[in-house]
């Protein structure tokens, strides 16, 4: 820019000399005083414009700029996050965090991997912990053990969540928010159908769903269904079906796997016997989709559809609440992250735990905060933001604003959160399920298992295959992948 100004001034000087020369055709020469009077305002305006451009709101050179990629949904929850990010920026003048929405979970993975391979990764990522192994294998993440050991706020985080942050003996993330899957229901529709008790078993749920499926307009076809089930091969479908696999006593891996293999496949709050994998050491014997619990869980969903009491969502849209809010669906699988949306809608609703098959079970969800390799200053600043995320103040505001369960133990006992729970009893249902929660496996090959499970679920719900045949076909594909 300095060179441009310099050339422009030389040009003006040359013009001034030409104008001051004797006229060749008898024209009157422009007096030097008038020329100066015209040039100086222009020069001043140009320089002022240059200075103003340089003074646009931008983080000063002394500020460490960080990018956070996230896929927070629904949109009101993104507003809560932005408010919290703004507070951090106001409290930390030397750090500026820019929060960027980059799409739903299934949409993010290609972007994340492309950014890592192209050396254009963000400083921080909000994502489910199943991606940990894949990012570690790519050498993308900053290990956090040393910093966490010296951080006083780290001790306030629920120790049950620690395992979701670890892979291959190191810690790679911090818990951002946790949740699990329950069943939302419309009390007004239950009352209209004469249902006084909430279902506690699969059989009771099936019978209740039948009673809630009604032809309310007399045209001979049901216009109100007992339950909505998610259709699609994506992670949402798998995540909301897994509670039925675990409730039916099923597993994703063979429980006779040799524990001496490298790595640990972690489920929920326990390290399950025989649960190991990462993909580098996986064999076809490790993955066992065709087991009694998986078949039973898939058959149960199929029974609901064949009874006519469950309606399928639009493909890959099983999280949308339109039918539930309008009263066309009486029950729907979801988690505490939808509490805010339901509260703002003024719709009557309640929540009950996943009914029991052979045992109690649900899927533990939520996202962690990952720190990518960058400069030492950016990494240190990113961990400062991570400590903020783990703090009682952040977790309390995040939980009350979104419905997520706090990861900070002090937050769960804070006066503000106790008042929130008193006003919203549904929160206690999700808190009561924490002890039954199981998390999806943390290892590089999980996305392949999820994809094959999604295919089996979709084929079964569309009546293209029996549960056992669909799971056997998915198992066969995984055998080919992992051999």
């Amino acid at each position: 820019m300095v060179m441009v100004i310099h050339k422009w001034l030389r040009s003006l000087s040359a013009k001034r000399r030409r104008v001051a020369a004797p006229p060749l055709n008898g024209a009157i020469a422009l007096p030097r005083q008038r020329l100066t009077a015209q040039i100086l305002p222009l020069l001043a305006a140009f320089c002022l414009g240059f200075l103003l451009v340089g003074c646009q709101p931008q983080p000063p050179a002394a500020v460490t700029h960080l990018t956070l990629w996230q896929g927070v949904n629904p949109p009101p929850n993104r507003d809560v996050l932005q408010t919290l990010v703004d507070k951090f920026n106001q409290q930390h003048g030397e750090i500026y965090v820019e929060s960027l929405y980059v799409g739903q979970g299934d949409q993010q993975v290609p972007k994340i991997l492309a950014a890592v391979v192209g050396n254009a990764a963000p400083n921080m990522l909000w994502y489910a912990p199943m991606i940990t192994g894949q990012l570690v294998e790519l050498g993308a993440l900053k290990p956090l053990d040393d910093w966490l050991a010296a951080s006083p706020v780290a001790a306030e985080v629920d120790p049950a969540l620690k395992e979701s942050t670890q892979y291959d003996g190191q810690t790679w993330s911090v818990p951002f928010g946790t949740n699990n899957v329950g069943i939302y229901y419309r009390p007004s529709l239950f009352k209209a159908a004469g249902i006084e008790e909430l279902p506690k078993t699969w059989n009771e749920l099936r019978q209740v769903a039948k009673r809630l499926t009604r032809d309310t307009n007399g045209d001979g076809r049901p216009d109100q269904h007992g339950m909505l089930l998610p259709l699609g091969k994506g992670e949402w479908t798998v995540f909301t079906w897994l509670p039925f696999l675990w409730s039916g006593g099923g597993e994703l891996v063979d429980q006779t796997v040799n524990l001496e293999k490298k790595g640990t496949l972690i489920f929920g709050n326990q390290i399950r016997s025989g649960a190991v994998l990462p993909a580098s050491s996986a064999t076809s014997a490790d993955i066992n989709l065709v087991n009694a619990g998986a078949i039973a869980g898939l058959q149960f969903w199929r029974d609901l559809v064949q009874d006519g009491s469950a309606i399928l969502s639009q493909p890959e849209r099983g999280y949308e609440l339109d039918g539930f809010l309008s009263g066309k669906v009486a029950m729907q699988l979801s988690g505490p992250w939808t509490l805010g949306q339901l509260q703002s809608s003024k719709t009557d609703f309640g929540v009950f735990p996943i009914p029991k098959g052979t045992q109690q079970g649900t899927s533990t969800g939520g996202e962690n905060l990952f720190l990518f390799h960058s400069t030492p200053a950016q990494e240190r600043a990113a961990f400062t933001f991570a400590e903020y995320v783990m703090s009682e103040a952040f977790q309390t505001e995040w939980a009350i604003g979104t419905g997520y369960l706090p990861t900070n133990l002090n937050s769960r006992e804070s006066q503000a959160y106790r008042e929130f729970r008193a006003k919203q009893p549904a929160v206690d249902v999700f808190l009561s399920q924490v002890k039954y929660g199981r998390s999806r496996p943390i290892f590089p090959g999980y996305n392949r298992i999820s994809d094959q499970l999604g295919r089996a679920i979709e084929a079964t719900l569309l009546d293209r295959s029996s549960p056992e045949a669909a799971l056997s076909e998915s198992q066969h594909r995984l055998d080919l992948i992992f051999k």
Side-chain angles (χ1 to χ4, degrees):
M1 181 60 72
V2 173
M3 291 299 297
V4 171
I5 295 174
H6 180 64
K7 289 180 180 179
W8 187 67
L9 290 173
R10 289 179 59 189
S11 172
L12 288 176
S13 178
K15 287 180 180 179
R16 196 180 82 171
R17 288 194 298 270
R18 287 196 299 271
V19 171
L24 299 177
N25 56 1
I28 301 174
L30 186 66
R32 178 173 299 184
Q33 292 82 354
R34 288 181 58 192
L35 178 66
T36 302
Q38 290 186 7
I39 292 176
L40 288 179
L42 290 173
L43 180 59
F46 183 89
C47 293
L48 179 61
F50 171 68
L51 290 173
L52 288 174
V53 169
C55 293
Q56 291 299 311
Q58 296 176 5
V63 172
T64 302
H65 185 277
L66 303 175
T67 52
L68 166 64
W69 282 11
Q70 45 86 6
V72 175
N73 255 326
N77 288 359
R78 288 204 293 275
D79 295 337
V80 176
L81 174 59
Q82 188 59 56
T83 298
L84 286 162
V85 169
D86 290 342
K87 285 186 177 181
F88 175 85
N89 290 335
Q90 292 165 5
Q91 296 167 5
H92 298 79
E94 75 285 1
I95 305 172
Y96 181 83
V97 174
E98 182 181 12
S99 176
L100 300 171
Y101 176 74
V102 291
Q104 283 289 93
D106 293 342
Q107 301 168 336
Q108 287 185 59
V109 174
K111 299 176 184 177
I112 294 167
L113 299 181
V116 169
V117 173
N119 293 318
N123 300 104
M124 298 178 289
L125 173 68
W126 176 95
Y127 203 81
M130 300 93 63
I131 201 173
T132 304
Q134 202 167 6
L135 294 177
V136 171
E137 281 203 336
L138 291 171
L141 298 179
K142 168 74 176 176
L144 304 177
D145 296 276
D146 291 343
W147 281 344
L148 287 169
S151 172
V153 73
E156 300 174 12
V157 176
D158 185 347
L161 302 174
K162 182 178 180 180
E163 291 168 343
S164 75
T165 69
Q166 296 183 325
Y167 173 75
D168 211 15
Q170 288 185 285
T171 304
W172 304 97
S173 61
V174 300
F176 197 105
T178 187
N179 55 56
N180 55 66
V181 178
I183 299 181
Y184 283 84
Y185 72 100
R186 294 289 303 272
S188 58
L189 300 183
F190 271 56
K191 183 178 180 180
I195 300 170
E196 298 180 352
E197 294 187 8
L198 297 174
K200 296 180 176 62
T201 67
W202 285 7
N203 184 59
E204 290 176 1
L205 177 60
R206 186 177 179 185
Q207 296 309 312
V208 164
K210 287 180 181 179
R211 292 177 62 181
L212 289 165
T213 301
R214 308 174 69 189
D215 173 17
T216 62
N217 60 9
D219 67 354
R221 295 176 298 178
D223 50 81
Q224 174 187 301
H225 288 81
M227 192 163 187
L228 180 135
L229 292 177
L231 177 64
K233 298 185 287 287
E235 183 59 28
W236 175 264
T237 299
V238 175
F239 177 59
T240 51
W241 175 76
L242 282 174
F244 294 87
L245 174 142
W246 287 317
S247 177
E251 297 288 349
L252 290 178
V253 295
D254 190 333
Q255 293 299 283
T256 63
V257 173
N258 183 357
L259 280 171
E260 293 182 358
K261 288 184 178 180
K262 181 182 179 182
T264 302
L265 181 61
I266 295 167
F267 291 106
N269 302 329
Q270 301 181 45
I271 299 177
R272 301 287 176 175
S273 173
V276 291
L277 263 158
S280 58
S281 63
T283 69
S284 59
D286 296 336
I287 304 164
N288 179 29
L289 302 186
V290 192
N291 60 76
I295 294 170
L298 204 45
Q299 182 64 53
F300 180 68
W301 273 28
R302 188 188 196 195
D303 290 341
L304 291 173
V305 174
Q306 292 187 337
D307 288 344
S309 56
I311 188 172
L312 299 178
S313 74
Q314 293 297 311
E316 311 300 349
R317 311 292 286 185
Y319 53 86
E320 292 182 342
L321 299 172
D322 295 1
F324 183 83
L325 294 173
S326 66
K328 294 180 180 179
V329 172
M331 297 182 290
Q332 183 165 344
L333 293 157
S334 194
W337 58 87
T338 57
L339 283 172
Q341 182 181 359
L342 288 171
Q343 285 176 307
S344 64
S345 72
K346 306 302 182 183
T347 301
D348 71 292
F349 71 93
V351 183
F352 60 88
I354 299 294
K356 183 179 179 180
T358 61
Q359 60 188 18
Q360 207 75 43
T362 188
S363 290
T364 296
E367 290 76 26
N368 289 0
L369 182 70
F370 297 87
L371 276 58
F372 285 85
H373 280 302
S374 53
T375 68
Q378 288 177 317
E379 290 173 356
R380 182 69 240 189
F383 186 74
T384 299
F385 183 76
E387 288 187 297
Y388 171 67
V389 166
M390 292 187 286
S391 71
E392 177 184 346
F394 180 100
Q395 285 297 316
T396 302
E397 187 168 347
W398 174 248
I400 292 174
T402 66
Y404 271 83
L405 307 180
T407 65
N408 185 291
L409 295 174
N410 294 338
S411 174
R412 293 181 189 176
E413 299 304 321
S414 67
Q415 181 64 28
Y417 192 64
R418 287 202 302 268
E419 291 174 358
F420 172 70
R421 288 171 58 183
K423 295 176 181 177
Q424 187 47 267
V427 173
D428 286 334
V429 175
F430 293 109
L431 286 171
S432 71
Q433 286 198 127
V434 168
K435 57 181 175 291
Y436 304 118
R438 303 279 299 275
S439 66
R440 292 159 285 180
I442 300 171
F443 73 106
Y446 171 74
N447 62 316
R448 293 168 175 172
I449 292 182
S450 175
D451 178 64
Q452 294 306 320
L453 276 174
R455 291 172 184 270
I457 296 168
E458 183 178 72
T460 301
L461 293 182
L462 294 177
D463 204 24
R464 295 173 180 167
S465 181
S466 69
E468 185 170 3
L471 289 166
S472 296
E473 180 62 27
S474 292
Q475 179 70 51
H476 175 67
R477 294 193 192 99
L478 288 173
D479 289 345
L480 296 175
I481 291 170
F482 286 109
K483 278 183 178 177

